[in-house]
Amino acid sequence: MPTELVMPHEAVERFFGRLIDEGPVMGPRERVSQPGFIHFDWLSDAADLRLNYQTTTIPPKKAFFPPREVLFEFELTDPLKITAVREAESFTLVGVHPCDLAALRMLDDAYAREPAEACWPANRARARVIGVDCMPDEYCFCTSTDSCYSRAACDLFLTPIERGYLVEVLTPAGEDMLRVSDVSEATDEDREQAEAFRREKAGAMTARLDATPEELAEILESEEHTELWKEIASRCYSCGSCNTTCPTCFCFDINDEFDLGLTGGRRMRSWDSCQLAEFALVAGGHNFRRLRWQRVRHRWYRKFVYLYRTFGRPYCTGCGRCSRACTADINIVDVTNEIINRARERDRQGVQG
Amino acid sequence: MIDHDAVPPAEDITRFYQPELARVIGKWQMTEMMVLLRLQPASGERLDHAPGQFLQISLPGYGEAPISFCSSPTQTDSFELCVQSVGNLSEALHDLRPGDFVGVRGPYGHGFPVEDMRGRDVLIVAGGIGIAPLRSLINYMADRRRDFGRVIIVYGARNPSERLFVEDVEAWDARDDFETWFTVDEPDETWTGMTGVVTVPLREVEIDPARTTAAVVGPPVMYRYVAMELLNKQMAEDDILFSLERRFKCGMGKCGHCQLNDLYVCQDGPVFRYTQLIGRTEAIEVWAPDEQKG
Amino acid sequence: MSHPLFQAAEVLDMAIEIERMGLAFYRGCTAARASEQAAEVFEFAAEQEQQHIELFARMKRDLDQYTVPESYPGETLAYVRGLIGDTIFATVDEAACSAEEMPDVDSAIDKAVRLERQSIAFYSGLREVVRPSEHDAIDEVIAEEHRHIRRLVALQHELGGGD
């Protein structure tokens, strides 16, 4: 049982202001050029922090896995000189929803699987994380993916209550952050209010998957569902927005960049998308997922079968970002439920026939 | 749990992505499109690869690409790679001269299971540039000849001018303890050997299916026809080894580019037992000429 | 074997190639002009093969057209020929060689029937290496070849030959 404290409303801005004074803080805030649009960015003033926000377009994984990052720089001297490039400064990532916390843990596991990748854990080790609870919109379905109540990968977790936030202290680093803050012991009343918030959250969830993750994996494994993938693919533009906005997508590309003087440059790692036609392209023009439906199918199987079987949970947090971002209005819940329901309908007919 | 106190040095963090330098000590133009590079790690340390494994070769500014070793690990002072001219990087590699440096990292992947193949007959089926990774295995067996039973080499090229490693091929042919079958699909006036694709001589080869392991590398079209011939010879699916080509970016099962259903070719392969590929729909490549249908 | 090695479309490619060979055989027999009656039989058979080529081409268009990209033009066809060469094409060659010395309509039809039977055996073998969902297409090819045999045999009886 973690320690539970209460941070009253009047102490919140002071607390985050002090964190900003201590070092860089990234959190949900309005985009300067686009009022009303909340995204994860660096904060210079605690007043800009928006802890009560709807799911961002780009998930906070970008704090640890930037869309583009330098791996090393090279100079074309003789012999060649290669210099590793890494950010080393510590920072704090605040205001992370439970679904995105669950995603951080998934990427911890995915990158740690032997042979382990080192950029992600090194970036993770630089940061403290503060989570915050939220209310769902019509795209959220985190109760179906076991991430509604996630406290993974965070040091403190905040739940809105009447007099401020109920603060769950989950690690020594979290305890350390609170050392000079105006926090008090939580009462049973505070705890009951936090519990009520969680009940309300779960109750407000309108979207849900019609099968458990295990049932879904079995349904996907039982047959190829080719007709359905073709139907979905006929609407898909292969734009890759679903991958770009996904908190659990971790594929990447590696490319070189020359400086203008052509005497040096850098090797870059950047986000990539399995929905793009060239993703599985091999020398000689061979493409192992050339057809759009094969790529659409791959996304579902990767999230709900392959990684599920490897790590024991679906690599989907129910955040709904892919559905919100889809330029063709393809909704992950609708498509998944269609698969489930068609499979069950076939089973029923099979039993009767 | 993430350890907030332990941020390792930058070069440790990027060690997976960071190449070691290797020096070009030899270069041969084998065909119009293919160049053989002989390389030596600048550190003097051996890469210690297994036949069938690959490494990532890079030229800063041009990027990085996976290439299979084509020399045997028994050749310890250097290693060789066969580079096909297909893009910016490979064209730049074709321009290298002895003394130049390249970046290398690896070896990666599961190569041919030479320990499991000890004492067994080995049937090599090579199509086109598939001979390159198989040359590593063949020359390994040549150097460890007593570890293996019969060694049967079936190698098909499109035409006589596209045959690779002609000197090696002649040496294999000259050995009493190798059985060799060479064919070309499009013969010219110089060609006196067999005509047809690799499955034509393969059908003539008599094997003891229970004692034989087949190692198959070739262009995508070839695999299924070869599989059919080998299965017709009553070979067990587990004894048929295919090496698959994918576009590996990281080599450590993370970047996703080489994923074949639930497998990462760079980690689980590139050499697979045929058994592993059964039921995996992305193992056998398909495409529609009508792109719009996709 | 219970796993798919080939797509039905590829089997149809093979079928088209076999039919082309058959067509060449029957045209050769027709040209030999052993007798008026025999010429009619072979013209009929050639016409049938022509129709089969069109049928199989149409069936292929109706399927998802899967082809593995070739590393050089004609690579797939080279493997198809390598695969069916020893079974069907050898029969075709042998039959074509002896067509001129085959004035007897009865034995010519026998040879044609043998050729068709071998094609059916070949398709039945291939049926095992395509996805179950694509069995229908292969079954249709086989059924078409059976119809072809029945017509040849009926013609043989009409002409007073056969058993």
Side-chain angles (χ1 to χ4, degrees):
Chain A
M1 188 76 186
T3 315
E4 287 175 328
L5 302 171
V6 169
M7 185 184 293
H9 288 297
E10 60 276 15
V12 173
E13 202 171 304
R14 211 160 46 239
F15 171 70
F16 285 102
R18 198 172 44 72
L19 286 185
I20 291 169
D21 290 342
E22 281 174 16
V25 175
M26 183 187 276
R29 57 168 294 172
E30 267 189 356
R31 188 187 256 170
V32 178
S33 60
Q34 196 178 355
F37 182 89
I38 305 294
H39 69 152
F40 277 89
D41 201 357
W42 300 109
L43 290 156
S44 51
D45 184 345
D48 292 336
L49 179 65
R50 295 282 177 277
L51 283 177
N52 179 13
Y53 70 101
Q54 289 301 323
T55 316
T56 55
T57 303
I58 302 292
K61 79 173 179 193
K62 69 175 183 180
F64 310 113
F65 177 28
R68 284 166 60 73
E69 77 185 298
V70 180
L71 294 170
F72 57 81
E73 289 176 341
F74 54 82
E75 284 170 59
L76 300 182
T77 46
D78 190 20
L80 195 70
K81 196 176 166 217
I82 289 173
T83 316
V85 176
R86 283 287 97 192
E87 295 282 341
E89 197 178 9
S90 297
F91 66 98
T92 310
L93 176 68
V94 306
V96 182
H97 286 169
C99 57
D100 289 335
L101 292 173
L104 295 183
R105 176 54 47 79
M106 290 183 206
L107 295 202
D108 287 347
D109 292 347
Y111 279 126
R113 191 185 179 214
E114 285 299 327
E117 198 272 352
C119 293
W120 170 273
N123 283 343
R124 286 272 286 115
R126 286 164 51 210
R128 301 176 295 190
V129 178
I130 301 177
V132 66
D133 218 343
C134 49
M135 280 293 158
D137 70 7
E138 68 270 31
Y139 291 100
C140 296
F141 61 104
C142 57
T143 44
S144 300
T145 55
D146 198 24
S147 39
C148 186
Y149 309 111
S150 177
R151 299 289 182 269
C154 69
D155 301 295
L156 294 176
F157 188 85
L158 314 180
T159 306
I161 54 172
E162 270 172 33
R163 56 190 184 112
Y165 288 105
L166 184 89
V167 183
E168 294 168 52
V169 184
L170 298 146
T171 68
E175 202 176 308
D176 185 56
M177 275 189 273
L178 291 170
R179 69 190 179 281
V180 289
S181 300
D182 310 322
V183 286
S184 56
E185 289 294 315
T187 64
D188 285 347
E189 170 65 18
D190 297 322
R191 273 189 272 272
E192 174 44 41
Q193 284 175 11
E195 190 52 44
F197 184 93
R198 289 189 282 272
R199 275 198 304 273
E200 191 190 341
K201 174 186 183 178
M205 206 78 60
T206 51
R208 60 173 54 83
L209 300 183
D210 294 338
T212 63
E214 177 59 27
E215 288 167 345
L216 176 56
E218 283 168 12
I219 286 169
L220 288 170
E221 284 167 330
S222 68
E223 53 179 310
E224 292 174 28
H225 307 278
T226 308
E227 285 314 308
L228 185 81
W229 304 126
K230 287 181 180 172
E231 286 170 38
I232 305 305
S234 69
R235 290 154 57 197
C236 172
Y237 295 119
S238 295
C239 69
S241 296
C242 47
N243 298 125
T244 309
T245 57
C246 180
T248 73
C249 275
F250 57 91
C251 289
F252 54 82
D253 199 0
I254 298 175
N255 284 301
D256 283 8
E257 265 182 14
F258 260 130
D259 287 331
L260 283 177
L262 301 179
T263 56
R266 61 205 64 77
R267 185 152 294 166
M268 309 288 299
R269 186 173 84 150
S270 49
W271 289 1
D272 207 347
S273 160
C274 62
Q275 299 305 296
L276 304 180
E278 59 272 23
F279 188 80
L281 194 67
V282 177
H286 309 150
N287 191 333
F288 294 84
R289 280 188 291 277
R290 193 180 191 103
L291 299 178
R292 189 169 285 152
W293 69 262
Q294 295 170 327
R295 299 195 294 273
V296 170
R297 171 190 187 280
H298 176 70
R299 186 168 152 255
W300 256 269
Y301 276 73
R302 184 169 157 96
K303 302 233 174 271
F304 295 110
V305 181
Y306 309 149
L307 294 171
Y308 174 73
R309 290 289 177 223
T310 305
F311 296 106
R313 65 182 156 226
Y315 263 51
C316 171
T317 67
C319 72
R321 282 189 178 89
C322 54
S323 305
R324 288 186 202 93
C326 183
T327 45
D329 217 8
I330 295 166
N331 184 303
I332 189 170
V333 174
D334 293 349
V335 172
T336 308
N337 285 341
E338 184 70 24
I339 297 165
I340 294 164
N341 294 324
R342 281 192 200 185
R344 286 184 177 152
E345 184 57 31
R346 267 193 296 272
D347 280 353
R348 270 193 292 277
Q349 284 171 353
V351 170
Q352 284 166 4
Chain B
M1 202 67 202
I2 298 290
D3 180 357
H4 294 294
D5 297 323
V7 181
E11 48 284 1
D12 285 1
I13 297 169
T14 57
R15 68 188 183 278
F16 273 108
Y17 304 94
Q18 208 160 305
E20 300 289 332
L21 295 185
R23 199 157 50 91
V24 180
I25 58 168
K27 181 192 166 189
W28 295 268
Q29 187 83 36
M30 286 197 291
T31 66
E32 199 189 329
M33 297 287 282
M34 303 297 286
V35 152
L36 180 68
L37 294 177
R38 183 175 293 163
L39 301 163
Q40 216 166 36
S43 65
E45 279 174 37
R46 292 174 52 186
L47 289 182
D48 241 350
H49 68 277
Q53 282 192 305
F54 68 95
L55 62 58
Q56 292 281 1
I57 186 167
S58 64
L59 277 180
Y62 294 93
E64 195 173 47
I67 299 187
S68 292
F69 289 91
C70 63
S71 56
S72 163
T74 48
Q75 172 184 331
T76 52
D77 59 330
S78 60
F79 61 91
E80 289 162 6
L81 303 173
C82 193
V83 182
Q84 184 177 24
S85 177
V86 286
N88 288 344
L89 172 64
S90 53
E91 278 164 24
L93 291 170
H94 273 224
D95 291 339
L96 289 172
R97 280 175 304 213
D100 288 346
F101 284 95
V102 298
V104 294
R105 58 185 181 95
Y108 294 114
H110 277 86
F112 294 102
V114 285
E115 289 307 315
D116 296 353
M117 290 156 71
R118 264 169 180 263
R120 293 178 61 79
D121 296 348
V122 178
L123 170 58
I124 301 282
V125 185
I129 59 174
I131 191 68
L134 288 169
R135 175 182 176 253
S136 173
L137 176 62
I138 295 167
N139 286 342
Y140 176 84
M141 291 191 294
D143 289 344
R144 300 275 170 87
R145 188 62 192 89
R146 273 175 305 176
D147 289 354
F148 300 91
R150 291 170 67 195
V151 173
I152 309 156
I153 303 166
V154 185
Y155 170 33
R158 182 187 178 186
N159 57 48
S161 68
E162 289 186 16
R163 299 173 82 222
L164 299 171
F165 304 110
V166 178
E167 279 175 32
D168 291 79
V169 166
E170 281 169 7
W172 302 334
D173 200 30
R175 287 180 74 122
D176 291 337
D177 55 357
F178 278 7
E179 299 162 54
T180 53
W181 302 71
F182 304 129
T183 182
V184 298
D185 189 26
E186 298 167 0
D188 60 17
E189 58 284 353
T190 67
W191 184 250
T192 55
M194 295 185 81
T195 299
V197 287
V198 72
T199 45
V200 174
L202 182 56
R203 190 167 311 147
E204 307 298 317
V205 175
E206 284 179 20
I207 57 163
D208 176 352
R211 286 184 47 85
T212 305
T213 298
V216 183
V217 190
V221 168
M222 188 187 91
Y223 287 97
R224 290 166 303 157
Y225 292 92
V226 168
M228 199 170 180
E229 296 295 342
L230 296 177
L231 295 169
N232 280 344
K233 290 185 193 296
Q234 307 304 316
M235 278 194 68
E237 284 153 348
D238 221 32
D239 295 331
I240 301 173
L241 307 170
F242 280 178
S243 179
L244 301 184
E245 190 188 7
R246 292 291 189 274
R247 180 162 153 256
F248 315 112
K249 282 286 182 174
C250 71
M252 52 191 173
K254 301 290 182 286
C255 77
H257 282 269
C258 72
Q259 199 170 3
L260 183 168
N261 294 96
D262 55 329
L263 301 176
Y264 288 102
V265 178
C266 73
Q267 285 289 314
D268 302 305
V271 176
F272 290 98
R273 292 178 188 275
Y274 189 61
T275 332
Q276 291 173 278
L277 303 179
I278 294 169
R280 291 196 159 89
T281 51
E282 293 172 350
I284 295 173
E285 177 185 12
V286 293
W287 69 291
D290 185 1
E291 285 280 70
Q292 283 75 20
K293 279 178 103 175
Chain C
M1 266 178 290
S2 56
H3 48 279
L5 271 172
F6 294 97
Q7 307 276 345
E10 291 168 310
V11 176
L12 287 169
D13 272 338
M14 298 175 196
I16 290 168
E17 194 56 24
I18 290 170
E19 297 301 319
R20 281 208 186 105
M21 289 298 176
L23 180 63
F25 165 60
Y26 292 126
R27 289 241 167 97
C29 292
T30 311
R33 285 237 162 241
S35 70
E36 202 63 25
Q37 259 186 340
E40 272 175 42
V41 172
F42 293 126
E43 263 168 41
F44 163 76
E47 202 178 294
Q48 288 279 299
E49 300 294 63
Q50 185 63 51
Q51 282 175 17
H52 287 180
I53 291 172
E54 284 160 24
L55 169 73
F56 297 155
R58 203 165 50 241
M59 284 170 64
K60 195 181 160 219
R61 273 196 300 277
D62 292 344
L63 287 169
D64 274 324
Q65 298 196 20
Y66 292 146
T67 326
V68 177
E70 300 184 319
S71 58
Y72 60 90
E75 190 186 19
T76 302
L77 192 59
Y79 279 99
V80 168
R81 289 200 167 134
L83 176 60
I84 53 192
D86 281 8
T87 51
I88 308 296
F89 292 147
T91 315
V92 171
D93 288 345
E94 179 208 326
C97 289
S98 56
E100 287 177 35
E101 310 136 26
M102 197 171 50
D104 176 7
V105 182
D106 202 38
S107 60
I109 292 182
D110 279 345
K111 275 202 181 246
V113 168
R114 207 177 84 213
L115 177 63
E116 299 294 340
R117 288 228 165 94
Q118 266 172 325
S119 308
I120 290 172
F122 178 72
Y123 295 135
S124 304
L126 283 176
R127 190 182 185 280
E128 303 307 312
V129 292
V130 300
R131 282 174 209 281
S133 62
E134 295 185 327
H135 279 173
D136 286 356
I138 311 301
D139 288 343
E140 212 175 309
V141 175
I142 294 171
E144 188 55 36
E145 297 295 357
H146 275 299
R147 276 195 289 277
H148 198 173
I149 291 177
R150 279 201 297 278
R151 278 188 204 152
L152 283 167
V153 171
L155 192 64
Q156 195 173 33
H157 283 294
E158 232 172 80
L159 297 171
D163 304 327

